Amino acid sequence: MNTEKTIKPFSIVIFGASGNLTSLKLIPALFELYHRGMLGKEFAIFGLARRPMTDQQFHEKLFDDVKNADKCGFAKPETWDEFCQHIHYVSGDGNDPSTFETLKSRLAALPFNNGKLGNCLFYCSVKPELFPDIAANISSSGLGSSSNPDEFRRLIIEKPFGFDLASARKLNEELSRHFQENQIYRIDHYLGKETVQNILALRFANRIFESVWNKDHLDHIQISVCEKVDVGERAGYYDQSGALRDMVQNHIMQLVSLVAMEEPKSLNANDIRNEKVKVIKAIRPVCENNCCCSVVTGQYTGGKIDDKDIVGYLDAPGVPKDSTTETFTAFRMYVDTPTMKDVPIYIRTGKALGKKTTEIGLFFKTVTNKLFDQACCPNGFNSLILRIQPNDGVSVNFFTRKTSQICLEPRELNFYYPDACPSPIPSAYEKLLHDALLGDQTLFIRSDETEAAWEFISPLIDSIKEKQKIPQPYEPGSFGPAKSDELMACGGRQWRN
Ligand code: BG6
């Protein structure tokens, strides 16, 4: 829920403005918001990076990337020129206090600030090691807070929020020395996706779903985040991270928390986040005792996806030949809450797989009567599938009688989001930047959420390391190693591909 109704005049300062995130995500999102009249007219965007550049050169660099963004804003190129009048460049270093003095004079010179520093949103699009220094410099320069209670100063940071539990705690502690928790916006772009936001509405506004969304009716849940892309040019980062840190600790934990949480008291940011934290804290440590419990890790080999050649992970530039970093993982977990206790939740994510798809599947227990012959159905479960991306939507799968037979056959009711929403669905970054400007923290991660997620993931990663588990090779274009299917098969289940 938004805490402020309208956007006040503001400045956004982007640290690391010469990077891809700025030109591929942040500027297109801000441009789209501007085009739709959602930023007002009194605002400034300051891109800050080390290399010297004029405003004009910065605009040209951004334009080269932004023009390829598939957004309606570009239907009117003159809007871009108008928008650029709000974009400025500052050459400087987030580590250097003098940069912040320059920034202050640029902020004070803005016509709508009347000599003051005004409302500021600081966006750290830089390596996480730099977050604490930037936060400290913002604070010591006097930019971190304002004596005017109507003025805001907020800090947005991008994942990773730490590398393990200890470093996540340290980061939270360092940031808290300079900013209050209600000023810190930890971005997880999955929370900005419309279909992810819809999970709560689907659950708590629909009795037909909520009444069966529990351990009495659910056989199991599947959460699959499959990507067709390989690690590409990100090997340097990815090899230090792997699927568990890159996808599970953040995006997938967020999906788990929304799917398993109890009804929040209200849609207030803290009520929702309180319930999410309870779920993450209630995750049972993943056991490794038998094949049904084991954690599968995989690494893609060389091969092809469609007609495209894929270089095997170990041959990707920047990856050590003996790397054991997982590009795929699958495991079964449980959330010990009153609603979900003992419902198996199967997680699967990986790179260079056969299909890009993010889906949450709820599979319901089979009916106990034997009136109809379920044996002729390929899969005996009713299911509710939330398609997060692509083909955003929801489908309900059930059985009907096969004409003139006692046999049943599966049928599907399908809701496709874009059919119901004629205007384009806002991108995750549009939604999140707009919320941060309004002071709404609902879709941002609180410090205790990130620590709780590490409390679960860190021991899992450590146990894989201790056991010196070698990831299973898998072919690009497949759905991961065979062991992932075995994990399902031993529970009498199968992945929905
Ligand atoms: C990022 C990960 O957070 O999410 C990437 O670092 C991954 O490795 C990306 O590719 C996936 O995002 P999306 O929105 O394409 O599912």
Side-chain angles (χ1 to χ4, degrees):
M1 237 172 34
N2 297 338
T3 48
E4 290 151 21
K5 295 264 175 295
T6 51
I7 301 246
K8 302 172 182 173
F10 67 90
S11 304
I12 294 187
V13 180
I14 304 174
F15 295 92
S18 54
N20 281 347
L21 184 76
T22 304
S23 52
L24 297 181
K25 299 285 183 199
L26 304 182
I27 295 293
L30 290 166
F31 181 42
E32 186 58 26
L33 289 169
Y34 177 72
H35 179 70
R36 289 196 275 125
M38 293 170 76
L39 294 185
K41 297 278 178 210
E42 293 182 314
F43 70 93
I45 300 168
F46 288 94
L48 198 145
R50 266 187 296 197
R51 77 175 74 147
M53 240 190 289
T54 61
D55 283 0
Q56 177 67 24
Q57 285 165 331
F58 187 47
H59 297 166
E60 283 163 13
K61 176 187 169 337
L62 293 176
F63 184 72
D64 279 344
D65 288 329
V66 175
K67 69 177 177 227
N68 297 321
D70 181 23
K71 279 292 183 180
C72 61
F74 263 90
K76 279 190 171 179
E78 64 276 17
T79 321
W80 172 255
D81 295 335
E82 218 181 271
F83 177 62
C84 273
Q85 290 170 19
H86 298 268
I87 305 182
H88 314 276
Y89 185 78
V90 177
S91 162
D93 190 333
N95 277 327
D96 176 0
S98 73
T99 303
F100 293 80
E101 292 310 311
T102 312
L103 194 56
K104 277 163 72 176
S105 49
R106 300 282 299 265
L107 289 167
L110 293 169
F112 55 84
N113 273 346
N114 301 320
K116 309 246 170 53
L117 302 173
N119 297 306
C120 291
L121 181 61
F122 299 100
Y123 200 116
C124 286
S125 171
V126 292
K127 287 193 186 143
E129 303 87 271
L130 301 176
F131 296 165
D133 282 349
I134 291 179
N137 280 329
I138 294 173
S139 165
S140 58
S141 66
L143 275 163
S145 58
S146 164
S147 53
N148 177 354
D150 289 333
E151 247 174 29
F152 69 74
R153 303 290 160 78
R154 297 177 185 142
L155 177 75
I156 299 190
I157 56 172
E158 281 275 341
K159 76 164 184 68
F161 311 123
F163 182 76
D164 53 18
L165 179 58
S167 56
R169 282 190 176 141
K170 183 161 178 270
L171 175 65
N172 282 338
E173 197 267 313
E174 283 170 333
L175 293 179
S176 71
R177 279 188 227 148
H178 310 294
F179 285 88
Q180 306 286 326
E181 183 61 29
N182 66 6
Q183 295 178 284
I184 304 175
Y185 290 66
R186 294 176 191 80
I187 276 208
D188 181 316
H189 76 279
Y190 264 56
L191 289 180
K193 292 182 194 275
E194 189 61 32
T195 37
V196 172
Q197 291 167 57
N198 203 35
I199 297 172
L200 292 193
L202 200 71
R203 286 190 58 182
F204 298 119
N206 295 292
R207 192 168 186 119
I208 51 167
F209 298 137
E210 181 53 6
S211 56
V212 290
W213 201 295
N214 55 51
K215 62 179 190 309
D216 296 335
H217 297 282
L218 285 166
D219 176 83
H220 73 283
I221 296 175
Q222 297 184 17
I223 300 184
S224 285
V225 184
C226 301
E227 296 191 273
K228 258 176 126 167
V229 289
D230 56 11
V231 297
E233 289 164 7
R234 299 171 71 224
Y237 150 78
Y238 196 87
D239 200 59
Q240 300 301 311
S241 168
L244 282 157
R245 286 192 173 90
D246 185 49
M247 298 297 286
V248 181
Q249 191 276 340
N250 35 72
H251 308 322
I252 292 180
M253 281 299 111
Q254 288 300 315
L255 297 180
V256 169
S257 66
L258 292 170
V259 166
M261 73 194 260
E262 307 288 325
E263 185 171 345
K265 272 196 274 181
S266 76
L267 291 180
N268 170 290
N270 273 336
D271 285 342
I272 292 185
R273 297 191 297 176
N274 288 344
E275 292 305 328
K276 281 165 59 193
V277 175
K278 283 187 204 159
V279 171
I280 304 175
K281 283 187 181 282
I283 297 176
R284 211 184 283 171
V286 170
C287 74
E288 282 269 23
N289 301 339
N290 58 48
C291 75
C292 282
C293 289
S294 68
V295 177
V296 179
T297 56
Q299 214 177 47
Y300 61 86
T301 60
K304 275 188 187 295
I305 297 186
D306 304 331
D307 280 334
K308 193 177 160 235
D309 288 324
I310 301 291
V311 176
Y313 181 70
L314 292 179
D315 293 321
V319 175
K321 293 281 175 243
D322 57 353
S323 168
T324 53
T325 298
E326 76 290 351
T327 61
F328 175 96
T329 185
F331 59 91
R332 188 177 71 174
M333 55 175 271
Y334 292 92
V335 174
D336 286 333
T337 56
T339 311
M340 287 296 165
K341 194 166 171 33
D342 295 334
V343 177
I345 305 180
Y346 292 90
I347 305 292
R348 172 177 68 164
T349 185
K351 301 249 181 230
L353 299 178
K355 196 161 126 191
K356 171 156 177 84
T357 176
T358 302
E359 262 191 15
I360 299 169
L362 288 98
F363 294 81
F364 296 92
K365 290 179 179 168
T366 48
V367 287
T368 42
N369 70 55
K370 298 274 179 273
L371 291 178
F372 297 96
D373 187 358
Q374 304 223 354
C376 37
C377 297
N379 172 344
F381 300 115
N382 290 154
S383 61
L384 173 66
I385 307 297
L386 317 188
R387 292 189 308 274
I388 307 296
Q389 60 186 16
N391 303 323
D392 322 8
V394 178
S395 64
V396 179
N397 299 284
F398 55 100
F399 300 111
T400 59
R401 201 175 73 102
K402 237 181 202 169
T403 320
S404 317
Q405 291 180 40
I406 303 295
C407 257
L408 299 176
E409 60 186 345
R411 299 281 181 197
E412 183 176 71
L413 274 178
N414 207 356
F415 166 72
Y416 178 52
Y417 238 98
D419 284 348
C421 320
S423 47
I425 297 173
S427 72
Y429 278 94
E430 279 167 52
K431 172 71 185 149
L432 295 171
L433 283 166
H434 194 247
D435 279 4
L437 288 168
L438 287 171
D440 182 356
Q441 290 190 301
T442 312
L443 301 178
F444 295 86
I445 301 182
R446 217 168 50 187
S447 56
D448 52 349
E449 266 182 272
T450 163
E451 290 183 20
W454 280 118
E455 272 164 33
F456 166 61
I457 292 292
S458 277
L460 183 58
I461 294 174
D462 291 347
S463 88
I464 292 173
K465 209 169 161 192
E466 271 159 30
K467 294 198 173 88
Q468 299 182 327
K469 221 172 155 149
I470 306 291
Q472 307 279 312
Y474 64 93
E475 292 225 350
S478 67
F479 278 93
K483 287 239 173 286
S484 156
D485 295 325
E486 286 169 24
L487 171 76
M488 293 301 271
C490 94
R493 305 177 176 110
Q494 61 188 41
W495 289 111
R496 191 188 121 92
N497 282 338

